[in-house]
Structure formats: structure tokens, C-alpha cells
């Protein structure tokens, strides 16, 4: 981290920072402030990929937190800002004592950790601020914070900054600053990547757009961020990618947009810039994104994504049952046959990752069989198999509230009273996830993609950016750990070698590393689910771990 900070100071001194990186609040403070920005620890889940970290050397967390890094970059330049991601290391007493203000941001699943940070900051007499999606959706979750910053970056943020400049003591009662006029994404600063070490993360991320035009019943995105997608400029995205490479090569970058193709015209305008950037820099990165399945109906867009080296696309398929998709207002998944859409995406070299949800009102005892058959036929390796959970500010929440079917019990895996018996729904989930990630079944699907999907990607050059000693050393670390921890000591090593030997024989090391890392997490996580050690929902209220003091 020290190296990155020194490099940043050098860039500032010679005026080489991209202009997007310098976009800060227009407010000019009169006083100096020390701001401690903390991103709270995530509860372990399917999507954190934590079981892969020991195979990767120094990796400690999944992705950098975009939101709070943007806030850190937006604060007045004369203020000192310190950033701590508690998924990597926890803030200590001296950090709290250094700060004048402690700013926290997070999602609902992080609520216990967010409130714990508030408690620790108050012990040191510090002003506390909470922003982000959780407090914006449910301010009542955070009654003890001094300041709530509700909504996105905008006029509410500027008013909060002015208040912090003018006041050095904690307020006598909670204050709320709510954004009424959002800052256009085209005026967002580059996230403060210089405050972290990208090598600590499984992959990097970038946000191009915000909002989604669809209204799926269970999703809170339209209410939080709107149905008309807003975009950064292509130049901003390129500046962020440049900054990432200056702070280290993350290898993979995930576009964390709610829907990368929510505005297809904007995506078409961005892609030539990404293609040009990849060619100029020797294709240093793989790209991934989240998009609706109807992306498969846009061949021109897919061809450009292929040339930009998009290798993975997450699609919220949710269920193969058409009556369920109609009931949850996800009919755009029915615009073409789902299996055909998956095959189309595969034909452009994109490995499909699918969201699957169990617990819809239309589910029957046969739903688990249909999901497992869909997994077998589609050959999708990675699926986020999750129990349906009602989020506040969603049509699902409001409907279930009217039907008196919301359940608030920390001993349950979900807050929904299902139409099927609760234990039966949980057992369906357990059966699906344990079967899907049984090593032989999982590796069969990965093997299919190694033959029928990965070869459809463009052939990228052996450029200096890809064959640097740092990348070679990283690859050797991954490869050695996979062979040793999985191939020698793993409890599924015989199955691993059935997959690995053909890949080794053909020299397909890069794909073998990908399958080894991702597959190991999936297999280990599923085993923990079977043993009731992991939650059946990303948003589960069921408490399995204590918050550290």
C-alpha cells in the first residue's frame, strides 16, 4: 500500500492523473478533517469465493467496494482520508483515535458489522456517518449513527460535507442528509484506488451504469437507483482502467452494473473504447459483467464484447419454470428459449454464470428436479443457488407484507412464509446445491465449457502486460497451490485429476487454473451447506458467526 501511495503522490506532483480522478465536491472547506472510511466485513457466502483465497497467495477479499471509494475520492482534497476494508484488516483503536469522522457504507447483510463500527467509533467520541444502499433503503436499521447520508452521491453528500466542516462535535440527535439531485455519473470521480492494494482482491471492478429498466418482483435496484440507466462516459471508464493498471494488474475486472445492457446504445458506444484500450495495452484484463439473458439476441453487441475480451456473463435466469418467470415479472427471460440463449452466449466465448432462486410461490415438489435437469442440459458450471428472501423496498416485500407472510426470526434461513412447507423448501435448496457442486458433476460442466466455450474467445497476444514477471509469478503460485492442495491433499483429488490430465496434456494451463480456483470454492462451500454451516440465502437472518469486538 505504501508503494501505491507514493506513486499517487508522484502522479499528483507531475499532473499526470486523469481528469476524471480529480472530480471532487465543489464545496471548499474552512477546516481540516481526518476522515476514516471503513467498509465492514461481509458475512461469508457463496459469492465471496473465500475458499479460493488460500490458493491465491495474498488474496483476502472478493472485490474493492466501489461506493465508499468514490466517496473517499469525492471528499475535499485538503482533508486526510484513510480507507480500511475490514474484509482485509480491521480498524484498530489508533485508527479511530486518529479520525475526526468515521464514514461507513454497506449492504443489508453487513448491518451487524456496520452498527458495531458505529459503537466502536462512539467509544472514542467520533462523529459517525453511514451511507450506501442499506441505510438508503432502511434508515430505521441505523438509529444510533450521528448522520445518515441517504441516496446516491449528490446534493445531500455536499450538505453532509459542509456540516462536517462546520461542526467538530457529535450532534445531540441524529441528522439526515438526503440526496434530491443526484450527481450525474459523468461527473463521478475515479474511485480512490490509491488507498488500497488491488493485489488483496480476487478481482477488480468498475461501474459503467446505474439502474435497470426491468421490474423483477424480488429486486430493489429500480427503487434504489431508478429504471432509466445512467452512464459514465467511456473516457471515465478508460481512466479508471488506466488507474487500476498503475496500482497493479488485477487480471480480471467485473462490470458491477445492475444490467450492463440496460441501455444497449450506451454499451455499444463504450465497447469500441474498451477494444481500443485492450489492443493498446496488450489485453491485460479479462472482463465480466451482469446482463439480462436477452443479451443473446444482440449479435453485434456480443461480437464487440467478444473482441473486448468479455469472458464471463452473469445472467439472472432464476428458474427454468416459465410460470414462475411470469409470476415474478421476469418475462424478458422468455423472449427466446433459455437453453438456446445460453448456447448463443457460449458461442461467443462467454461462460455463463446463472442466478437460481428456490422458494417462489409457483414452486412444486418437482421444482428441484427441474432445476437439476436444467443444470445438466445447460452445462452452466457456476450457479448462485439461493433461497428467496424478501428485501425492503421491493414489490415482493409489499405483497408479502399485505399477505402477512413476512417472518422475522433469526433461526430461519429466510424471512418468507413459503406456500410449500418451510423445511421442504430448505431441503430442496440443500439438495440442489449439494448435487450441483458434487465434484464429478461440476467438473463435467467445466470440461464441456473448456471444449465448447473457452475456445470461442479471441486469441489474445503474449504481450508484455500479460507475460510480465509479476503475472508469471502469480500464475505459478496459483498453479502450484492447486496441484498441491487439491491434487495431492484434496478430498476429491481423483476427480480433479480426471479433469486436469487432459488440460495439462494440451497445455491448457490458464483454463485449468480458472477451474481449479473456482471449482474448489464451489465444492467446499457446498459441503459446508450440507453440514448446515452456511446460509441458504445471501440475506439470511440466521446468525452463525459472532461479531468480533
Amino acid at each position: 500500500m505504501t508503494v501505491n501511495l507514493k506513486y499517487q503522490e508522484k502522479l499528483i506532483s507531475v499532473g499526470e492523473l486523469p481528469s476524471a480522478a480529480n472530480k471532487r465536491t465543489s464545496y471548499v472547506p474552512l477546516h481540516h478533517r481526518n476522515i476514516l472510511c471503513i467498509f465492514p466485513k461481509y458475512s461469508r457466502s457463496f459469492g465471496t469465493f473465500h475458499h479460493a483465497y488460500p490458493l491465491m497467495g495474498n488474496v483476502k477479499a472478493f472485490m474493492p467496494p466501489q461506493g465508499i471509494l468514490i466517496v473517499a475520492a469525492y471528499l475535499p482534497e485538503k482533508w486526510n482520508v484513510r480507507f480500511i476494508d475490514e474484509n482485509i484488516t480491521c480498524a484498530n483503536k489508533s485508527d479511530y483515535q486518529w479520525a475526526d469522522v468515521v464514514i461507513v457504507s454497506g449492504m443489508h447483510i453487513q448491518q451487524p458489522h456496520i452498527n458495531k463500527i458505529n459503537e466502536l467509533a462512539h467509544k472514542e467520541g467520533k462523529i459517525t456517518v453511514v451511507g450506501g444502499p442499506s441505510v438508503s433503503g432502511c434508515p430505521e436499521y441505523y438509529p444510533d449513527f450521528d448522520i445518515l447520508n441517504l441516496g446516491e452521491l449528490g446534493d445531500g453528500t455536499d450538505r453532509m460535507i459542509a456540516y462536517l466542516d462546520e461542526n467538530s462535535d457529535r450532534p445531540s440527535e441524529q441528522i439526515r442528509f438526503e440526496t434530491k439531485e443526484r450527481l450525474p455519473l459523468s461527473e463521478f470521480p475515479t474511485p480512490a484506488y490509491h488507498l488500497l492494494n488491488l493485489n488483496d482482491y480476487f478481482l477488480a471492478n468498475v461501474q459503467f451504469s446505474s439502474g435497470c429498466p426491468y421490474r423483477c418482483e424480488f429486486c430493489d435496484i429500480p427503487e434504489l437507483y431508478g429504471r432509466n440507466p445512467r452512464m459514465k462516459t467511456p473516457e471515465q471508464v478508460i481512466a479508471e482502467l488506466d488507474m487500476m493498471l498503475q496500482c497493479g494488474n488485477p487480471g480480471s475486472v467485473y462490470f458491477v452494473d445492475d444490467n450492463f445492457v440496460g441501455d444497449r446504445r450506451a454499451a455499444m458506444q463504450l465497447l469500441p473504447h474498451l477494444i481500443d484500450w485492450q489492443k493498446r495495452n496488450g489485453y491485460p484484463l479479462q472482463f465480466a459483467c451482469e446482463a439480462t439473458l436477452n443479451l443473446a439476441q444482440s449479435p453485434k453487441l456480443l461480437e464487440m464484447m467478444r473482441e473486448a475480451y468479455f469472458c464471463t456473463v452473469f445472467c439472472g435466469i432464476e428458474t427454468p419454470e416459465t410460470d414462475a418467470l411470469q409470476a415474478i415479472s421476469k418475462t424478458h427471460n422468455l423472449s427466446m428459449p433459455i437453453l438456446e440463449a445460453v448456447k448463443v452466449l457460449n458461442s461467443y466465448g462467454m461462460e455463463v454464470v446463472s442466478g437460481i432462486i428456490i422458494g417462489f410461490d409457483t414452486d412444486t415438489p418437482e421444482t428441484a428436479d427441474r432445476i437439476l435437469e436444467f443444470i445438466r442440459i445447460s452445462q452452466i458450471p457456476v450457479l448462485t443457488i439461493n433461497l428467496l428472501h424478501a428485501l425492503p423496498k421491493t414489490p415482493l416485500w409489499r405483497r408479502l407484507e399485505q399477505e402477512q407472510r413476512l417472518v422475522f426470526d433469526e433461526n430461519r434461513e429466510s424471512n418468507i412464509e413459503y406456500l410449500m412447507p418451510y423445511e421442504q423448501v430448505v431441503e430442496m435448496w440443500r439438495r440442489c446445491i449439494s448435487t450441483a457442486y458434487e465434484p464429478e458433476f461440476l467438473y463435467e460442466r467445466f470440461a464441456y465449457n473448456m471444449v465448447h466455450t473457452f475456445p470461442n474467445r479471441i486469441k489474445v497476444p503474449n504481450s508484455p502486460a500479460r507475460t510480465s514477471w509479476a503475472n508469471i509469478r502469480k500464475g505459478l503460485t496459483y498453479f502450484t497451490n492447486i496441484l498441491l492442495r487439491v491434487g495431492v491433499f484434496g478430498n476429491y483429488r481423483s476427480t480433479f485429476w480426471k479433469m486436469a490430465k487432459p488440460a495439462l496434456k494440451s497445455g491448457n494451463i490458464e483454463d485449468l487454473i480458472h477451474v481449479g480456483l473456482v471449482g474448489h470454492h464451489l465444492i467446499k462451500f457446498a459441503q459446508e451447506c450440507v453440514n448446515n454451516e452456511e446460509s441458504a440465502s445471501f440475506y439470511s437472518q440466521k446468525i452463525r458467526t459472532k461479531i468480533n469486538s
Side-chain angles (χ1 to χ4, degrees):
M1 190 163 110
T2 304
V3 173
N4 289 337
L5 284 169
K6 287 181 178 177
Y7 191 74
Q8 180 76 354
E9 289 168 2
K10 178 183 175 183
L11 287 174
I12 292 172
S13 67
V14 297
E16 293 179 4
L17 272 176
S19 59
N22 295 317
K23 294 181 178 177
R24 297 180 178 271
T25 177
S26 58
Y27 179 82
V28 179
L30 298 176
H31 304 94
H32 177 274
R33 295 285 181 260
N34 290 333
I35 309 294
L36 177 61
C37 294
I38 303 179
F39 187 65
K41 191 174 182 64
Y42 272 120
S43 299
R44 298 197 329 169
S45 74
F46 178 97
T48 56
F49 281 86
H50 48 275
H51 288 299
Y53 303 163
L55 306 178
M56 302 175 74
N58 296 324
V59 171
K60 302 179 183 69
F62 187 50
M63 289 191 299
Q66 281 272 320
I68 197 165
L69 288 173
I70 288 172
V71 170
Y74 186 72
L75 292 171
E77 187 172 6
K78 67 185 294 184
W79 288 5
N80 286 339
V81 180
R82 184 179 295 181
F83 167 73
I84 295 176
D85 183 346
E86 294 209 323
N87 294 284
I88 294 171
T89 186
C90 289
N92 57 40
K93 188 180 181 71
S94 64
D95 292 313
Y96 286 107
Q97 291 175 338
W98 168 85
D100 298 308
V101 180
V102 176
I103 297 179
V104 194
S105 176
M107 304 174 72
H108 292 320
I109 192 66
Q110 296 165 289
Q111 180 189 350
H113 294 276
I114 293 172
N115 282 321
K116 183 64 177 180
I117 292 168
N118 180 69
E119 179 185 328
L120 293 172
H122 279 173
K123 283 183 179 179
E124 303 300 330
K126 307 304 180 178
I127 299 173
T128 58
V129 180
V130 60
S134 182
V135 69
S136 296
C138 297
E140 66 274 13
Y141 285 3
Y142 304 100
D144 298 326
F145 270 83
D146 296 320
I147 297 172
L148 306 187
N149 186 14
L150 307 178
E152 295 185 69
L153 201 67
D155 61 333
T157 317
D158 288 330
R159 292 196 302 275
M160 177 199 74
I161 291 170
Y163 177 88
L164 295 176
D165 180 41
E166 296 164 2
N167 298 272
S168 57
D169 297 323
R170 291 182 54 199
S172 58
E173 59 183 26
Q174 189 177 81
I175 301 171
R176 297 188 179 191
F177 295 104
E178 184 170 1
T179 291
K180 301 296 183 182
E181 294 184 15
R182 296 179 296 199
L183 187 74
L185 261 67
S186 60
E187 296 179 20
F188 270 38
T190 293
Y193 294 122
H194 63 285
L195 297 179
L196 53 80
N197 185 351
L198 279 178
N199 294 323
D200 288 335
Y201 294 91
F202 186 81
L203 74 169
N205 52 2
V206 64
Q207 181 185 21
F208 169 53
S209 67
S210 179
C212 180
Y214 300 106
R215 191 79 185 254
C216 304
E217 186 188 39
F218 57 85
C219 183
D220 60 356
I221 294 300
E223 298 222 11
L224 285 175
Y225 305 116
R227 296 185 64 189
N228 295 316
R230 293 163 291 124
M231 260 66 59
K232 292 179 181 175
T233 66
E235 291 76 16
Q236 279 176 283
V237 174
I238 296 304
E240 291 191 29
L241 296 176
D242 285 336
M243 183 65 74
M244 287 181 198
L245 288 192
Q246 290 167 1
C247 297
N249 187 343
S252 297
V253 169
Y254 190 91
F255 278 79
V256 294
D257 303 23
D258 310 312
N259 183 358
F260 183 71
V261 294
D263 185 327
R264 299 193 183 207
R265 180 177 299 177
M268 293 282 284
Q269 292 171 346
L270 170 67
L271 285 165
H273 293 266
L274 294 181
I275 293 167
D276 177 67
W277 185 87
Q278 289 275 47
K279 290 179 177 178
R280 284 188 288 108
N281 289 280
Y283 280 86
L285 302 174
Q286 283 192 6
F287 291 133
C289 70
E290 181 172 341
T292 41
L293 194 62
N294 54 13
L295 167 64
Q297 295 172 289
S298 301
K300 186 175 180 181
L301 191 56
L302 284 169
E303 183 54 45
M304 295 174 73
M305 291 176 70
R306 178 178 179 271
E307 192 174 355
Y309 210 41
F310 276 81
C311 298
T312 306
V313 57
F314 178 95
C315 297
I317 293 174
E318 319 309 358
T319 174
E321 298 184 331
T322 57
D323 54 344
L325 292 171
Q326 291 168 342
I328 63 174
S329 301
K330 196 141 192 174
T331 53
H332 48 278
N333 272 7
L334 300 174
S335 58
M336 72 183 295
I338 293 176
L339 291 171
E340 181 183 335
V342 172
K343 288 289 189 292
V344 169
L345 295 173
N346 289 163
S347 73
Y348 286 89
M350 296 181 201
E351 178 185 319
V352 175
V353 175
S354 169
I356 294 290
I357 298 175
I358 295 173
F360 293 125
D361 286 357
T362 54
D363 283 2
T364 69
E366 290 73 41
T367 293
D369 290 327
R370 295 193 184 105
I371 289 172
L372 290 171
E373 180 65 5
F374 168 76
I375 294 172
R376 184 187 68 80
I377 297 174
S378 69
Q379 298 284 4
I380 296 175
V382 185
L383 308 100
T384 61
I385 303 171
N386 204 21
L387 273 189
L388 182 66
H389 187 99
L391 292 174
K393 311 292 184 182
T394 61
L396 175 65
W397 176 284
R398 288 190 288 270
R399 176 171 68 82
L400 296 180
E401 190 174 42
Q402 287 183 344
E403 297 173 7
Q404 297 184 331
R405 289 174 55 200
L406 291 175
V407 181
F408 303 99
D409 182 350
E410 291 182 348
N411 294 313
R412 285 173 55 97
E413 295 281 5
S414 174
N415 61 355
I416 295 175
E417 187 67 51
Y418 300 112
L419 295 186
M420 290 177 62
Y422 169 76
E423 292 298 338
Q424 186 177 5
V425 175
V426 173
E427 185 53 39
M428 285 168 56
W429 164 80
R430 188 171 288 113
R431 179 185 163 215
C432 284
I433 199 165
S434 61
T435 304
Y437 298 122
E438 188 277 325
E440 190 163 346
F441 186 28
L442 173 62
Y443 278 145
E444 284 176 1
R445 305 196 305 275
F446 269 126
Y448 172 89
N449 279 268
M450 290 172 76
V451 173
H452 298 283
T453 300
F454 302 166
N456 297 326
R457 296 169 180 167
I458 61 170
K459 306 302 179 186
V460 294
N462 289 323
S463 64
R466 291 177 56 80
T467 59
S468 66
W469 171 239
N471 279 353
I472 292 172
R473 185 173 60 244
K474 185 189 298 185
L476 287 173
T477 298
Y478 296 177
F479 186 58
T480 302
N481 285 337
I482 290 168
L483 293 184
L484 184 64
R485 300 193 185 203
V486 178
V488 176
F489 297 109
N491 59 7
Y492 59 96
R493 55 186 175 272
S494 59
T495 306
F496 168 80
W497 284 112
K498 289 179 185 177
M499 179 276 300
K501 285 179 181 178
L504 288 170
K505 190 175 181 179
S506 62
N508 200 359
I509 305 301
E510 190 172 347
D511 291 343
L512 176 58
I513 290 173
H514 165 69
V515 173
L517 291 176
V518 175
H520 183 66
H521 171 74
L522 301 176
I523 292 167
K524 297 291 286 184
F525 187 85
Q527 290 171 348
E528 291 175 344
C529 290
V530 171
N531 295 329
N532 199 34
E533 297 170 7
E534 288 292 354
S535 300
S537 169
F538 293 163
Y539 311 101
S540 176
Q541 297 168 293
K542 193 167 183 177
I543 298 175
R544 288 186 169 83
T545 58
K546 294 181 179 180
I547 308 299
N548 294 326
S549 298

